[in-house]
Amino acid sequence: MVLLLPTKGVSPERALLTIGSEILENLRNPKSISALWESFNDSPSRDSGTTRITFDWFALAVSTLYAIKLIEETDAGYIKRVNVP
């Protein structure tokens, strides 16, 4: 079972919406998935002793952002933020 929000069994650091918000912070400019993964892992919030996130969990968070229409793919194949009105 994949959970979007923190629960008794899923810590706030591992909730998909929490990870998604960190991904959006790293997505100021369009990036490839691999560049986004690298910048996500190198971000200061990841260095503060939070739980290590695997690429699988990262991919689930990216898929969640895509499903709720917060990110989209560019014509060049990069991922970009969607401007929400």
Side-chain angles (χ1 to χ4, degrees), residues 19-20 23 33 36 57-67 71 79:
I19 296 167
I23 290 170
I33 287 291
L36 185 57
W57 204 252
F58 170 82
L60 281 172
V62 169
S63 296
T64 300
L65 293 174
Y66 184 78
I71 61 173
I79 303 299

Side-chain angles (χ1 to χ4, degrees), residues 26 36-47:
N26 287 291
L36 185 57
W37 170 243
E38 287 178 22
S39 67
F40 174 79
N41 277 328
D42 294 339
S43 67
S45 63
R46 294 277 102 210
D47 294 334

Side-chain angles (χ1 to χ4, degrees), residues 16-78:
L16 291 179
L17 290 180
T18 303
I19 296 167
S21 69
E22 293 176 22
I23 290 170
L24 288 174
E25 285 293 318
N26 287 291
L27 197 55
R28 299 281 181 203
N29 299 311
K31 294 181 182 178
S32 66
I33 287 291
S34 58
L36 185 57
W37 170 243
E38 287 178 22
S39 67
F40 174 79
N41 277 328
D42 294 339
S43 67
S45 63
R46 294 277 102 210
D47 294 334
S48 63
T50 57
T51 306
R52 174 102 173 108
I53 302 299
T54 63
F55 184 78
D56 293 345
W57 204 252
F58 170 82
L60 281 172
V62 169
S63 296
T64 300
L65 293 174
Y66 184 78
I68 60 177
K69 301 181 190 291
L70 290 178
I71 61 173
E72 63 186 11
E73 187 177 0
T74 67
D75 292 336
Y78 293 109

